Amino acid sequence: MRLPLAEHRYGEHGVVLPPERSDSNDALDVDLDMRRQLYRSMREMRTFEKRAYDLFMKQLVKGTSHLSLGMEAIAAGFGAAMQEDDYTFATYRGHAHTLARGVPMTPVLAELLGRANGLMGGKGGSMHLTSVEHGMMGSYAIIGAHLTIANGAAWSAQYRGSGQVAVCFFGDGTTNIGAFHEALNYAAVYRLPVVFVCENNLYMEYTSIRDITAVAHPAADRAAAYGLESIVVDGNDADAVHLAALEALDRARSGRGPSLVEALTYRHGGHSRADPGKYRPTGEVDAWKAYDPLTIYRERLGRLGVSEAELDAMDATALALVDAATEGAIAGELPSPESAFTDVWADGGWSWRN
Amino acid sequence: MAQLSYRDAVARGIAQEMRRDERVVVVGEDIAGAGGVFKTTVGLLDEFGPKRVIDTPISEQAILGAAMGAAMTGLRPVAEIMFSDFFAVCWDIVVNQIAKTRYMTAGQVTMPLVIKTGNGGGLRFGAQHSQSIENWAMAIPGLKVVTPSTAEDVVGLMAAAIRDDDPVIFCEHKGLYAAKGEVPDGEIIDTLGTAKVRRPGRDATILALGMMVPRALAAAEDLATRGIDAEVIDVRSLVPLDTRTILDSVARTGRLFTVEENPQLLGWGAEIASLVADEAFWDLDGPVQRITTPHIPLPSADSLEDLVMPSAESVARTVEKALQS
Ligand SMILES: Cc1ncc(C[n+]2csc(CCOP(=O)(O)OP(=O)(O)O)c2C)c(N)n1
Ligand SMILES: [Mg+2]
C-alpha cells in the first residue's frame, strides 16, 4: 500500500531480503561443463569490476562508471545462453554484459581509462561500450531508449529471417519511463524476437523502486498489460537465470514472440562512481551480500563434486586475465588528437563545410 | 557574506522562495530523500516536507507534464531534469506544451514554472551526459533561458526564475557545482535578462556563459600580461538577452568574441554575431569570432574532451591572433 504523498516516509520502504539459501537448485538441468563456464564467467566479471573500481579510486578511470558487482549471474546466465550472432543491448551498467559476449578485457578496460587501445578509442567511455563484431550492439545511457532500439534489431532479424534474437537488459527504474511501455506493446504486436531482461536491483539511483512504483514487481506485474507471461527469476542464481534465458531465447527464435524476464538481484556497491549507497538499510545490504551469486554458486559446484583446487585455479586464471588487461590498458597511449574529429559521418569525416 | 558552493546556492535559492511562497513545490528524480544526484536540493525535504519536495519515478514526460498542469492551476513548480541531455525524452512537453500554451490560449493561462537541470561538459561523462542545451531551448518562442556562473547569481536568478510568470529553463553547469563564491546574507533577487561585466576592458569584448566565464576571465588575465585589455561579459541570460550591455561594450572595444561550449552550428554566439552585424556593424574594427566546441559530439576520454572544448588558452590564443592581424 502506498502512502499519500504528505505522509510518505522516505527510506522507510522496508527491507527487501533475498531468498533463503538452499541446495534445491543443485538439481536444475544444467550440465557440469556449462556450470564451470558460468562460474568462470562470473568470476571474470567480478574480478574485472573490482579492478575497475580500484582504478576509478586511483583516478585512472575518469568520469563515471557503473558496476555490476553482485549482479553477475544475469550477465553470465544470459551470455552463455545466447548464440554467437545474437544481439545484446545494455545500459551504462554494461561492463559485464560486454564481457559476456566474449569481448576481450583489455580494450574494455582501456576504454574506461580513455586510451587509444580502448574498445572505441576513448570516444565512447564506460557508459557506451560497443563491439558490433561480438553482437554487443551498445550500452545506452538515456533510460528507456534502447528497449525501442532492440525492437529494431529484432525486427531486422525477423525481416531477414536470420534466426537471431535481440536481448535487452535494463533496470527496475527503467520500467517507469514511457519508452518501456511503448517498446513492450510494440514487440508484442509484431511478435518480435526480443527478450527484455529487467535487472531488478531494487533501486533506481538513490531511490528505492518501491517508493516510486505502483506495483511490487516493476516488470513482471506489468507483463500482463502486453499479453506477456509474468516471469520472476532469482537473478543471483546463475542456473535459474540460464534456464530462463534458454527458454525465452527459444521462444523468440521459434517465432513465438517476445518475453519479459524480471531477475531479482542487488548491487553490492553504490549506483556509480564512489557512491557509498548509504540510502540502503544495512540489514538489506548485508543479507544480499551474503546471498552473493559467486558464493552460492561456488558452494553449489563444491556439492556437485568440483574440487576446491579447480575452483581456485579458475579464480587465479580470472585474476591473471584482469592483471594482464590492467597492464595493457595502463600501457595504452592517449588517443591521437585527430581521432576526436573522425566518425561523425559515414565517410569517417566530421566537417560540415565543403 | 558567506562562502557558498554553486550547488548549495541552488538549494538556498529554492529554499528562499519556498519560505516566502507556499505555492512553490519541487519535483524530480532523487531530489528529495537523496538531496539530488548533484546535491543541489539538500535540506529541502527536511525543511519543507514530502508534500512540497517530491521524489519521482524515472518519468520525465510525466514530471514535466505534472509541473505544467500544476503551474496552470495555481502552483509554482520547480522541476528537475537531472542531466540536460534528458530534455530530449520530454521535449514534447517542453516545446509543444509548456512553451506554447500561453500563446495558444491567448493568455488565459500563465506558466510559472522552472525547469532546473545539470548542464554542460568537462566531466568525462561522454556524449549523452555532457551536452550544453541552451541553444535548443532558446530556439523555442515562449521559453526563458538562464545559465548562471557564480553562486551568488544562482541564488538570485533562481529566485527571479521562480517569481517569473513564464517557463524558465535554468541551466546549472555541472562543472561549476563545486566552485565556491561569496554570497551576501539575506534575500537575494536578481533580474532575468541582465548580463554582467565581470572584467572591464578596452581592447576586445569576450562574451561567455556558464563554465566558459571563468575560462574567459583566465584568458583575459593572460592577455593582460601581453598588453591586451579584454572585457569579459557574463551573458547569464540568453532569453531575454541583455543586448544593451553587449552592444555598448562592442561600441567601446570594436572587437567581439564569443566563448561557447556548445557545438558550433546555431550556437547562441551566432545569434549575437548576427545581431551585432545588424545593429553595430560600424562599431566593429574586425570580424566577430566565435570560439566553440567543433561540430562534434563530446568524446569521453579526458585528453580528447579537453582538446575540443574551449579553454583559457584557446580563447587567449584566438583573441591575441585576431587583434594582431
Ligand atoms: C531519461 C533518463 N532519465 C534519468 C537518467 C538518470 N539515471 C541514470 S541511471 C538511473 C537509474 C536507473 O535505475 P535502473 O533502471 O533501476 O537501473 P540500475 O542503475 O539500477 O541498473 C537514472 C535515474 C537517465 N540516464 N536517463
Ligand atoms: Mg535498479
Side-chain angles (χ1 to χ4, degrees), chain A residues 92-93 141 143 171-174 201 203-205, chain B residues 29 60 86:
Chain A
Y92 48 87
R93 199 181 301 288
I143 295 292
D172 44 282
T174 302
N201 59 14
Y203 290 82
M204 35 188 274
E205 285 200 35
Chain B
E29 295 159 17
E60 281 80 4
F86 310 160

Side-chain angles (χ1 to χ4, degrees), chain B residues 250-264:
Chain B
V250 173
R252 277 185 283 105
T253 65
R255 290 306 293 257
L256 178 64
F257 300 84
T258 64
V259 187
E260 306 166 54
E261 199 182 314
N262 42 262
Q264 189 178 7

Side-chain angles (χ1 to χ4, degrees), chain A residues 5-6 10 62-63 114 122-125 127-128 141-143 173 176-177 204-207 212 335-337 340-341 350 352, chain B residues 30 34 37 45 50 55-60 82 86 89 123-125 128-129 264-265 294-296 300-303 307:
Chain A
L5 270 181
Y10 285 95
K62 310 279 168 50
K123 288 160 85 165
M127 294 203 283
H128 301 293
I142 306 294
I143 295 292
N176 288 324
I177 201 160
M204 35 188 274
E205 285 200 35
Y206 308 152
T207 300
I212 42 81
S336 75
F341 307 102
W350 72 283
W352 52 276
Chain B
D30 300 302
V37 305
L45 175 66
D55 274 331
T56 66
I58 307 173
S59 309
E60 281 80 4
M82 186 189 289
F86 310 160
V89 305
L123 285 93
R124 293 72 171 97
F125 283 170
Q128 294 183 347
H129 280 71
Q264 189 178 7
L265 297 195
H295 207 63
I296 56 171
S300 151
D302 50 338
S303 60
L307 175 80

Side-chain angles (χ1 to χ4, degrees), chain A:
Chain A
M1 247 290 288
R2 292 193 49 76
L3 294 165
L5 270 181
E7 293 162 37
H8 195 69
R9 304 245 189 296
Y10 285 95
E12 291 186 15
H13 42 77
V15 173
V16 183
L17 295 176
E20 289 292 319
R21 284 168 80 144
S22 96
D23 53 16
S24 60
N25 278 1
D26 292 6
L28 288 178
D29 183 20
V30 180
D31 72 40
L32 204 53
D33 275 346
M34 175 53 77
R35 281 178 154 149
R36 286 190 171 91
Q37 183 187 328
L38 288 171
Y39 180 80
R40 209 178 297 123
S41 165
M42 286 196 288
R43 178 59 70 194
E44 287 175 11
M45 292 165 185
R46 170 67 52 96
T47 315
F48 180 94
E49 292 289 64
K50 281 190 162 162
R51 183 62 50 85
Y53 183 78
D54 292 345
L55 295 174
F56 182 85
M57 296 315 272
K58 287 186 183 153
Q59 292 177 6
L60 278 161
V61 173
K62 310 279 168 50
T64 189
S65 77
H66 304 75
L67 306 178
S68 293
L69 290 169
M71 300 166 59
E72 296 89 348
I74 302 170
F78 266 89
M82 291 169 74
Q83 292 184 3
E84 215 174 290
D85 60 352
D86 285 342
Y87 297 124
T88 294
F89 288 82
T91 70
Y92 48 87
R93 199 181 301 288
H95 308 167
H97 293 298
T98 305
L99 298 179
R101 298 311 309 278
V103 181
M105 284 182 190
T106 305
V108 179
L109 203 53
E111 185 64 30
L112 270 53
L113 269 61
R115 303 302 166 105
N117 58 339
L119 199 54
M120 299 93 78
K123 288 160 85 165
S126 146
M127 294 203 283
H128 301 293
L129 296 175
T130 305
S131 181
V132 170
E133 64 164 309
H134 295 93
M136 176 60 193
M137 300 306 288
S139 309
Y140 297 78
I142 306 294
I143 295 292
H146 69 309
L147 282 82
T148 68
I149 302 164
N151 274 345
W155 171 34
S156 156
Q158 186 187 58
Y159 184 90
R160 290 179 283 113
S162 69
Q164 294 161 288
V165 177
V167 181
C168 179
F169 301 93
F170 54 93
D172 44 282
T174 302
T175 64
N176 288 324
I177 201 160
F180 166 84
H181 300 273
E182 294 185 27
L184 280 172
N185 182 60
Y186 203 98
V189 165
Y190 299 108
R191 290 175 83 84
L192 296 176
V194 58
V195 180
F196 294 107
V197 185
C198 176
E199 302 180 283
N200 181 2
N201 59 14
L202 312 181
Y203 290 82
M204 35 188 274
E205 285 200 35
Y206 308 152
T207 300
S208 158
I209 192 67
R210 293 195 154 192
D211 274 349
I212 42 81
T213 308
V215 292
H217 281 291
D221 287 350
R222 269 101 170 233
Y226 306 103
L228 300 174
E229 197 187 332
S230 171
I231 302 170
V232 181
V233 297
D234 179 349
N236 280 17
D237 188 313
D239 290 333
V241 172
H242 185 62
L243 292 178
L246 286 172
E247 196 178 321
L249 283 158
D250 179 55
R251 184 185 168 84
R253 221 180 296 285
S254 60
R256 287 176 290 142
S259 306
L260 174 61
V261 177
E262 178 173 328
L264 274 177
T265 185
Y266 203 77
R267 52 172 155 77
H268 284 181
H271 170 72
S272 65
R273 310 219 272 171
D275 166 29
K278 284 282 186 321
Y279 40 86
R280 305 183 301 179
T282 35
E284 185 179 275
V285 178
D286 294 344
W288 280 93
K289 278 193 174 165
Y291 195 68
D292 179 336
L294 273 138
T295 315
I296 62 174
Y297 210 65
R298 191 182 167 101
E299 286 171 10
R300 176 171 307 158
L301 291 187
R303 288 191 298 271
L304 295 172
V306 181
S307 71
E308 282 289 305
E310 186 182 344
L311 290 164
D312 287 345
M314 287 196 251
D315 293 354
T317 309
L319 182 60
L321 278 171
V322 173
D323 283 342
T326 309
E327 244 174 70
I330 289 176
E333 307 273 329
L334 292 181
S336 75
E338 305 82 62
S339 71
F341 307 102
T342 57
D343 300 320
V344 177
W345 310 117
D347 65 1
W350 72 283
S351 178
W352 52 276
R353 301 175 63 154
N354 55 23

